[in-house]
Amino acid sequence: MPSLRRSIQWACAALVAGAGLMSSACTIQPWVKPYERDRLADPIMTWDRDAISSAYLDHIRESREGSRGASGSAGGGCGCN
Amino acid sequence: MMRTSAQRIVGRAAVIFAALLLVRATCADVLPDDRADLFYSKYSGGGMDITGESALVRKKITENLAVEVNYFVDKVSGASIDVLSQASQIKDERKQSSGTVEYVHDKTTYTVSFINSVERDYKSDTGSFSLKQDMFGDLTTLSLAFSNTNDTVGENDGGCGCYNGSAPPSITWLGHAESRSYDVDLSQILTKNFIAGVNFNVITDQGYLANPYRSVRYLDPTNAKGYSLASQDYPDTRTSTAVQVEGKYYLPYRAAITGSYRYFRDTWAIVGNTYELDYTHPISNIWILEGRFRYYKQNHANFYSDLFAYADEFRFEGRDQDLAAQDNYTIGAKATYAFLPNGWKMFKRATVTFDVSRVTFHYLDFRDIKYYGVQNGYQPGDEPLYQFNATVFQIYMSMFF
């Protein structure tokens, strides 16, 4: 029961915080104006231009290294051989 | 214990999702262009050759709804050194199909996807859900994702039926594994030239997590080699945490530099650090050239040893090379050529990309027992440390319509 109560408290806090965060998103003035974002819109500023290639490289790395995650999707499969 | 923790995280993710649904933003996001991609790759190194072929199609059904399908086949021939140390080389093929549905409502993008991967001796199904929310005047993008993977793990007796006279494969199914992945990613525009990101990921695994093709070795004076091999025994749970910070900066001339650092740790005591630097340089609107450097280092898992003192020395034992202490570095280059600038029939534009990477692996406590042993004067544990180079080549064409 204590864990249930803690979960409910956490849920209420998240709801309030989430709703507050999102509603404030409508009022905050962006410090980089939309007309100043031409450089950020350049294709060379895209985080991941080629999703298949990135997923393939991640799959190779995850088959050879102990680390995983936080760098995109690596797909399924074993990589056992 | 792990399930309780995972359920709590799912509950919290659901609550955050509910909070995000309260948003009524004023300016809608848009889906990316429709595209079709053809992809070919080749990996050579460490005794293995892997070729990969893939096709992807992405199409908007309405302005708010898009679907994407991807099919990937990779073919493996040869085997890595730790597999070769105990068995013959293997020919295998992996077929992966995935489907994704993406829906945009105001500034929120919802994505549902499914991945199915099949090998003779391994089956994997992944379902995932994510949402992405733009906020603070589109300066901030928050993404939450959850995926669940169910694997069925088997062992091939070495037959493949792929040569004249070779025996058909016989598969022994060894067990199941379930994996759950939780992601929180934040991308933030800081200045008109600089964007930064933080990615946080937790993965929990439960079930059969060992690699059936690899063995541990232990000192055995009764064996002429001085050691014998035995099956690995892994823990049946694993939880990992990874955090990556990254930044991308638009230089004073038209080029971009990207830096990232990832910290990883898990309940098997593996700690990994990854550093990556990338430079992107376009030439007019025809070429985009890219150079990159990546360095990775990890320590070994707490149940890993290259050579155990005797059989069944510990409850859990592993000698999988990806659990060994290692470092590796990658030097890569990519060139993208844009053609059809005025479009052709239904296509607005197209690109073709060449990508090559060279990876050098150094193992710090994993020894080469395939080519060195008592026959050439090396006692068990004195063999040279293993290292190898791998080359990864990719070519792909993307058509946008």
Side-chain angles (χ1 to χ4, degrees), chain B residues 70-362:
Chain B
N70 179 217
Y71 185 68
F72 195 106
V73 179
D74 55 19
K75 296 173 183 172
V76 181
S77 61
S80 58
I81 183 104
D82 41 359
V83 175
L84 282 175
S85 302
Q86 60 151 338
S88 59
Q89 58 180 325
I90 293 166
K91 269 198 167 188
D92 205 354
E93 185 174 271
R94 180 175 72 99
K95 296 176 180 172
Q96 178 175 296
S97 313
S98 68
T100 300
V101 178
E102 208 168 41
Y103 176 71
V104 171
H105 177 68
D106 288 335
K107 290 184 180 293
T108 310
T109 305
Y110 307 89
T111 306
V112 177
S113 64
F114 180 76
I115 304 172
N116 170 255
S117 172
V118 177
E119 294 162 73
R120 277 200 192 92
D121 51 1
Y122 205 94
K123 297 173 185 170
S124 176
D125 291 305
T126 301
S128 62
F129 173 76
S130 69
L131 68 85
K132 188 178 71 152
Q133 174 73 38
D134 290 337
M135 58 182 104
F136 304 134
D138 293 343
L139 293 182
T140 306
T141 303
L142 175 69
S143 304
L144 305 173
F146 168 73
S147 68
N148 189 86
T149 301
N150 284 290
D151 294 342
T152 306
V153 187
E155 184 176 12
N156 188 339
D157 66 350
C160 66
C162 46
Y163 305 109
N164 284 336
S166 66
S170 171
I171 309 296
T172 305
W173 294 104
L174 302 170
H176 298 272
E178 184 178 8
S179 171
R180 292 177 180 174
S181 175
Y182 309 86
D183 286 274
V184 180
D185 300 338
L186 186 75
S187 179
Q188 177 69 52
I189 293 174
L190 293 172
T191 72
K192 60 186 179 182
N193 295 318
F194 185 47
I195 183 166
V198 181
N199 308 318
F200 178 74
N201 169 260
V202 174
I203 301 175
T204 61
D205 301 282
Q206 192 166 32
Y208 186 91
L209 305 180
N211 182 334
Y213 294 103
R214 296 176 185 171
S215 301
V216 294
R217 67 170 183 155
Y218 57 91
L219 285 170
D220 183 358
T222 65
N223 190 314
K225 291 180 176 177
Y227 64 84
S228 291
L229 301 176
S231 297
Q232 298 192 114
D233 198 353
Y234 280 28
D236 58 8
T237 61
R238 182 187 188 194
T239 300
S240 67
T241 306
V243 182
Q244 178 169 278
V245 291
E246 55 192 352
K248 191 178 265 289
Y249 184 72
Y250 194 103
L251 293 166
Y253 53 97
R254 192 180 170 219
I257 190 162
T258 309
S260 70
Y261 166 72
R262 180 179 68 169
Y263 175 79
F264 170 91
R265 73 177 305 142
D266 69 5
T267 50
W268 293 356
I270 296 174
V271 175
N273 292 279
T274 311
Y275 308 85
E276 196 158 358
L277 200 60
D278 179 296
Y279 176 75
T280 308
H281 190 111
I283 299 176
S284 67
N285 287 320
I286 307 282
W287 289 93
I288 297 179
L289 307 178
E290 189 177 307
R292 61 181 178 271
F293 177 78
R294 178 182 186 270
Y295 177 74
Y296 172 77
K297 183 165 185 157
Q298 73 176 49
N299 62 342
H300 65 228
N302 52 12
F303 58 93
Y304 171 88
S305 177
D306 180 66
L307 180 64
F308 290 92
Y310 50 88
D312 300 322
E313 183 181 3
F314 298 107
R315 169 69 184 85
F316 298 115
E317 296 181 334
R319 191 181 171 270
D320 206 325
Q321 70 185 89
D322 54 301
L323 302 181
Q326 60 166 290
D327 62 6
N328 66 62
Y329 62 86
T330 306
I331 296 173
K334 179 156 88 171
T336 299
Y337 175 71
F339 61 105
L340 301 179
N342 301 316
W344 177 68
K345 295 188 184 276
M346 63 185 288
F347 299 106
K348 295 177 190 166
R349 61 193 171 90
T351 59
V352 61
T353 301
F354 308 89
D355 188 315
V356 63
S357 297
R358 180 79 168 167
V359 195
T360 300
F361 293 88
H362 296 110

Side-chain angles (χ1 to χ4, degrees), chain A residues 3 6-7 10-34 36-81, chain B residues 12 15 19-20 22-23 35 37 39 41 43 48 56 72 79-80 83 90 94 96 117 119 122 124 135-139 187-193 195-196 199 201 203 205 211 213-214 238 240 242 244 246 248 250 254-256 262 264 272 280 282 288 290 294 296 298 322 326 328 334 336 361 392 394 396:
Chain A
S3 70
R6 198 161 52 242
S7 295
W10 201 98
C12 291
L15 270 173
V16 171
L21 189 73
M22 298 307 144
S23 58
S24 65
C26 302
T27 56
I28 284 183
Q29 293 299 312
W31 58 87
V32 180
K33 306 293 183 195
E36 294 178 315
R37 297 180 198 170
D38 55 322
R39 291 179 170 182
L40 298 170
D42 192 307
I44 64 172
M45 291 295 281
T46 307
W47 284 121
D48 185 8
R49 284 190 291 131
D50 303 296
I52 302 180
S53 171
S54 304
Y56 175 73
L57 289 174
D58 281 341
H59 182 73
I60 287 175
R61 287 167 183 154
E62 290 190 6
S63 302
R64 300 279 166 267
E65 299 172 352
S67 297
R68 58 186 184 175
S71 61
S73 167
C78 176
C80 294
N81 300 324
Chain B
R12 290 176 181 179
V15 167
L20 290 174
L22 297 175
V23 177
R35 64 187 291 173
D37 290 61
F39 173 92
S41 64
Y43 170 98
M48 300 179 70
L56 176 145
F72 195 106
S80 58
V83 175
I90 293 166
R94 180 175 72 99
Q96 178 175 296
S117 172
E119 294 162 73
Y122 205 94
S124 176
M135 58 182 104
F136 304 134
D138 293 343
L139 293 182
S187 179
Q188 177 69 52
I189 293 174
L190 293 172
T191 72
K192 60 186 179 182
N193 295 318
I195 183 166
N199 308 318
N201 169 260
I203 301 175
D205 301 282
N211 182 334
Y213 294 103
R214 296 176 185 171
R238 182 187 188 194
S240 67
Q244 178 169 278
E246 55 192 352
K248 191 178 265 289
Y250 194 103
R254 192 180 170 219
R262 180 179 68 169
F264 170 91
T280 308
I288 297 179
E290 189 177 307
R294 178 182 186 270
Y296 172 77
Q298 73 176 49
D322 54 301
Q326 60 166 290
N328 66 62
K334 179 156 88 171
T336 299
F361 293 88
V392 186
Q394 303 172 71
Y396 44 97

